[in-house]
Amino acid sequence: MAKIKIETPKGDIIVRLYDDTPKHRDNMLKLVEEGFYDGTLFHRVIKDFMVQGGDPDSKNAPKGKQLGAGGPDYTIEAEFTPAHFHKRGALAAARLGDEVNPNKESSGSQFYIVLGEKYNRGQLKQMEKQMKQNQETITFNDLVTYYKKEIMEMRKNRDRAGLQEMQERLMKEAKEICKQNPVGFSAEQMEAYTTIGGTPFLDGEYTVFGEVEEGLDVVDAIQNADTDRADRPTEDIAMTITRID
């Protein structure tokens, strides 16, 4: 597996890139070899959550400048895999929100390293319950959209009995679809989130494509930096990234 070294004033971070997220791996290696990241900042730092960098607009950015919107003129197709999740030390791709990015495509350059916090099993089980409810709601709404023409015709004819029957049928169908594609945390996720911690609520939302092998203490040092109202460190934390394997 390819490895990169992120050099910072706080120390070095060694990151391994996953082979089964090839689009993200190859893109990062390409940018690294071009020197794209050299001089960019960790421009967004939130304690007990993550540290984010990779915005080209952060190079030599004056104090107080709003950062986080920069990048190359392309995005990367999401590469979700259950094997990779937001445990402490995970490397993931930043992206725009679902409202303008429903396919969850990744930023062409911005990334973050997960810190997060530890959870107990009760908290994770509650998250699973919410995930299942959300999945059923989304699936039901998709079915409603699919049968929109029939539903509108029933409303036009004030067919309340037909609408009630349709609703019950679609709710049952949504539950059956969700049973075939269950959501929840694997045993590995449960173990990681209860021991080393992470950000489980981001799983399936942002592509995880690597993990820190050495230098988590450096990531910790970065997260403890003083920040302004926009979560930008008050003292610049610049990086240089090279490929080492």
Side-chain angles (χ1 to χ4, degrees):
M1 292 186 182
K3 294 182 183 180
I4 57 174
K5 178 168 69 172
I6 305 174
E7 299 177 58
T8 80
K10 306 284 188 182
D12 298 343
I13 307 164
I14 307 300
V15 180
R16 171 166 55 92
L17 304 180
Y18 298 140
D19 286 336
D20 52 2
T21 49
K23 294 182 177 68
H24 287 72
R25 175 201 62 198
D26 293 349
N27 178 69
M28 173 153 270
L29 292 175
K30 171 181 172 291
L31 295 179
V32 166
E33 288 165 3
E34 292 173 353
F36 180 95
Y37 291 107
D38 298 348
T40 59
L41 307 177
F42 279 101
H43 65 270
R44 184 171 178 239
V45 172
I46 304 177
K47 187 172 174 59
D48 297 326
F49 183 40
M50 60 89 209
V51 300
Q52 182 173 332
D55 180 352
D57 295 342
S58 67
K59 291 184 181 182
N60 302 311
K63 298 292 184 182
K65 179 179 179 180
Q66 288 288 104
L67 299 170
D73 59 353
Y74 60 84
T75 55
I76 309 168
E77 182 183 353
E79 294 181 292
F80 297 136
T81 170
H84 306 318
F85 51 92
H86 285 77
K87 63 185 178 183
R88 176 179 168 85
L91 173 75
R95 67 173 179 85
L96 294 175
D98 289 354
E99 302 80 11
V100 294
N101 180 25
N103 293 325
K104 306 182 192 299
E105 295 178 355
S106 300
S107 162
S109 64
Q110 292 195 44
F111 64 88
Y112 60 93
I113 299 173
V114 175
L115 289 157
E117 56 187 82
K118 294 179 185 178
Y119 294 81
N120 61 47
R121 289 186 175 272
Q123 290 173 310
L124 295 175
K125 288 296 183 182
Q126 187 60 38
M127 282 188 194
E128 281 189 325
K129 183 178 179 181
Q130 188 61 54
M131 289 161 62
K132 290 173 182 177
Q133 290 175 345
N134 291 343
Q135 182 193 35
E136 288 185 7
T137 299
I138 291 170
T139 304
F140 175 77
N141 289 339
D142 287 344
L143 290 171
V144 168
T145 299
Y146 183 80
Y147 290 102
K148 183 178 180 179
K149 185 176 180 181
E150 293 178 39
I151 292 171
M152 293 303 292
E153 188 66 23
M154 289 181 189
R155 286 179 177 171
K156 180 180 178 181
N157 296 328
R158 298 184 178 181
D159 184 358
R160 293 183 179 179
L163 286 169
Q164 181 65 31
E165 182 182 350
M166 172 71 82
Q167 179 177 339
E168 291 174 358
R169 179 165 67 85
L170 295 187
M171 288 177 68
K172 183 177 180 181
E173 188 173 342
K175 289 181 181 294
E176 289 301 317
I177 292 172
C178 292
K179 283 181 182 179
Q180 296 171 20
N181 300 279
V183 295
F185 298 121
S186 66
E188 185 181 4
Q189 286 172 296
M190 281 284 192
E191 176 68 18
Y193 290 138
T194 56
T195 55
I196 63 172
T199 54
F201 50 90
L202 297 182
D203 288 343
E205 297 294 326
Y206 297 78
T207 296
V208 175
F209 65 104
E211 64 181 88
V212 174
E213 285 201 337
E214 299 175 36
L216 261 176
D217 58 326
V218 177
V219 183
D220 272 329
I222 294 172
Q223 78 154 332
N224 286 317
D226 292 331
T227 57
D228 62 19
R229 292 183 179 180
D231 300 316
R232 176 180 168 179
T234 53
E235 295 296 327
D236 288 347
I237 303 175
M239 71 182 80
T240 297
I241 306 184
T242 54
R243 180 173 182 174
I244 57 175
D245 190 12

